C-alpha cells in the first residue's frame, strides 16, 4: 500500500492507497498542533493500524507533503521508526521531473502543486483548482500545465474563528449552511454572513479570473470543506476530495521511479 501524508495548518492527514484496487481505502487525521503531535503520533497511529488490521510492513512507499516546516522532522522520524521507511518529502526539487511548471516553485505550497499534478494528470487542459482548507485558494493553470498564479483568502473556519477571537460578544459557530441569507439571531447571522458571503466570494473570484484569462477552464473543487457551500455545486465541474492525496502519490512515484 502507498501511504500519503498531507500536513496542513489544521490537520495532518494520513491516507492509504491500495495499489491493487487503485483506490484510497483508509483515511484519518491528527491535529497539527506541535505540542500534541508527538503524543498523537505515538498513540493514535499504531492504534489505528491495529484496529484496521494493517501491518506497518504493508506500507511499501510513503509520500509526504507539508506546509508546516516545524513538524516535518517529527513526522519523518516517526515514519522511519514505525514503518521502517523514509517518507519522501515533496519539495521544489520534486517538480523538475513533472509535466507541470510553477513560475516561482519556492513560493507555492506543495499541497497546491500536488493538486495541480493530480488535476493535470486527469484532464490536461486549463484549470482553476479551488481548495477549501485553512486557507481558501484558487490555483490557475494554463493549457501547457504552467501555474499562472494563486489567490489566497482566509478559509471558512479561519474566518469564523477570527470573528470569535477578535470580538467580545460573538460566539464560535458551526459550519452549517442557513436557509436564509438574513440572520434571525446571532448564530444565524454569522452563518449567513460567512457562508453566503463566501458563496459570493468564490463566484466573483472565478468570474474575475475567467475575464482576465479567457481560457476554457475546467473548475475543480477540493479540500475538506468543499461540500459545505452547496450553492456552489453548479460552479464546479468536479469535486474531488482525494485530489491532494493523488498528487502526493503521483509526485512521489515519479521521483522515486
Amino acid at each position: 500500500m502507498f501511504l500519503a501524508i498531507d500536513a496542513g495548518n489544521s490537520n495532518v492527514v494520513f491516507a492509504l492507497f491500495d495499489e491493487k484496487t487503485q483506490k484510497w481505502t483508509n483515511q484519518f487525521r491528527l491535529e497539527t498542533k506541535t505540542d500534541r503531535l508527538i503524543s498523537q503520533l505515538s498513540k493514535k497511529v499504531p492504534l489505528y493500524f491495529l484496529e484496521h488490521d494493517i501491518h506497518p510492513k504493508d506500507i511499501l512507499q510513503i509520500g509526504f507533503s507539508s506546509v508546516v516546516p516545524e513538524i516535518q522532522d517529527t513526522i519523518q522520524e516517526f515514519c522511519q521508526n514505525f514503518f521502517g521507511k523514509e517518507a519522501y518529502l515533496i519539495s521544489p526539487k520534486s517538480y523538475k521531473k513533472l509535466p507541470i511548471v510553477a513560475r516561482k516553485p519556492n513560493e507555492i505550497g506543495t499541497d497546491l502543486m500536488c493538486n495541480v499534478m493530480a488535476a493535470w494528470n486527469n484532464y490536461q487542459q486549463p484549470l482553476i483548482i479551488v481548495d477549501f482548507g485553512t486557507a481558501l485558494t484558487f490555483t490557475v493553470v494554463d493549457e501547457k500545465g504552467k501555474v499562472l498564479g494563486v489567490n489566497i483568502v482566509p478559509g471558512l473556519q479561519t474566518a469564523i474563528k477570527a470573528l470569535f477571537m477578535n470580538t467580545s460578544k460573538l460566539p464560535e459557530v458551526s459550519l452549517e449552511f442557513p436557509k436564509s441569507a438574513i440572520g434571525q439571531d446571532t448564530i444565524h447571522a454569522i452563518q449567513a454572513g460567512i457562508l453566503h458571503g463566501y458563496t459570493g466570494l468564490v463566484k466573483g473570484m472565478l468570474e474575475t479570473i475567467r475575464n482576465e484569462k479567457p481560457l476554457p477552464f475546467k473548475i475543480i473543487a477540493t479540500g475538506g470543506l468543499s461540500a459545505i457551500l452547496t450553492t456552489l455545486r453548479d460552479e464546479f465541474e468536479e469535486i474531488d476530495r482525494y485530489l491532494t492525496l493523488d498528487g502526493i502519490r503521483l509526485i512521489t512515484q515519479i521521483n522515486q521511479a
Side-chain angles (χ1 to χ4, degrees):
M1 303 182 83
F2 180 91
L3 171 62
I5 304 174
D6 180 19
N9 290 293
S10 299
N11 296 286
V12 180
V13 176
F14 292 76
L16 297 174
F17 185 84
D18 189 324
E19 297 289 356
K20 293 181 180 179
T21 62
Q22 291 290 292
K23 291 182 179 180
W24 295 99
T25 57
N26 299 76
Q27 188 176 146
F28 63 98
R29 60 188 61 215
L30 307 176
E31 291 183 52
T32 302
K33 293 180 181 178
T34 52
D35 58 335
R36 297 180 57 187
L37 184 60
I38 294 177
S39 62
Q40 287 188 91
L41 285 169
S42 61
K43 295 177 182 177
K44 291 188 176 182
V45 176
L47 181 60
Y48 183 90
F49 274 72
L50 181 64
E51 289 177 341
H52 290 80
D53 195 27
I54 304 170
H55 196 281
K57 290 184 180 179
D58 294 336
I59 306 303
L60 303 179
Q61 195 173 33
I62 305 171
F64 178 24
S65 167
S66 171
V67 296
V68 191
E70 57 267 32
I71 68 172
Q72 289 171 189
D73 289 345
T74 298
I75 291 178
Q76 287 184 300
E77 183 178 349
F78 172 79
C79 288
Q80 189 68 59
N81 292 337
F82 185 68
F83 298 107
K85 288 181 176 60
E86 183 178 352
Y88 177 76
L89 180 63
I90 296 171
S91 72
K93 294 181 181 178
S94 307
Y95 310 151
K96 295 178 181 179
K97 296 182 178 181
L98 306 182
I100 56 174
V101 179
R103 182 175 295 174
K104 294 184 178 181
N106 292 309
E107 294 187 22
I108 184 170
T110 56
D111 56 338
L112 301 186
M113 286 298 287
C114 289
N115 287 345
V116 173
M117 181 62 213
W120 183 258
N121 183 68
N122 290 339
Y123 306 111
Q124 297 184 17
Q125 69 177 79
L127 302 161
I128 301 175
I129 303 166
V130 187
D131 191 335
F132 292 84
T134 305
L136 170 61
T137 61
F138 300 77
T139 306
V140 185
V141 184
D142 71 9
E143 69 279 4
K144 296 181 180 179
K146 181 177 181 180
V147 178
L148 299 178
V150 180
N151 292 332
I152 304 174
V153 298
L156 291 164
Q157 284 184 328
T158 305
I160 284 181
K161 190 166 289 186
L163 273 179
F164 168 67
M165 294 181 67
N166 292 289
T167 56
S168 58
K169 291 187 176 181
L170 295 181
E172 188 170 12
V173 304
S174 60
L175 284 170
E176 296 177 14
F177 207 100
K179 294 180 180 179
S180 171
I182 304 172
Q184 302 301 309
D185 54 44
T186 302
I187 291 176
H188 184 185
I190 296 172
Q191 290 173 332
I194 295 293
L195 294 169
H196 282 286
Y198 267 72
T199 297
L201 185 157
V202 173
K203 288 182 178 180
M205 187 68 75
L206 291 175
E207 182 180 1
T208 301
I209 292 170
R210 286 180 293 208
N211 287 339
E212 184 174 333
K213 291 289 182 182
L215 297 173
F217 289 113
K218 187 175 186 71
I219 302 175
I220 303 169
T222 190
L225 301 175
S226 56
I228 290 177
L229 295 179
T230 55
T231 50
L232 287 172
R233 285 176 181 167
D234 291 341
E235 297 291 326
F236 306 128
E237 295 177 66
E238 178 131 8
I239 298 176
D240 186 348
R241 64 191 183 96
Y242 296 112
L243 198 67
T244 310
L245 301 175
D246 282 329
I248 292 172
R249 182 175 62 87
L250 290 167
I251 292 175
T252 299
Q253 291 178 341
I254 289 171
N255 278 276
Q256 292 197 324

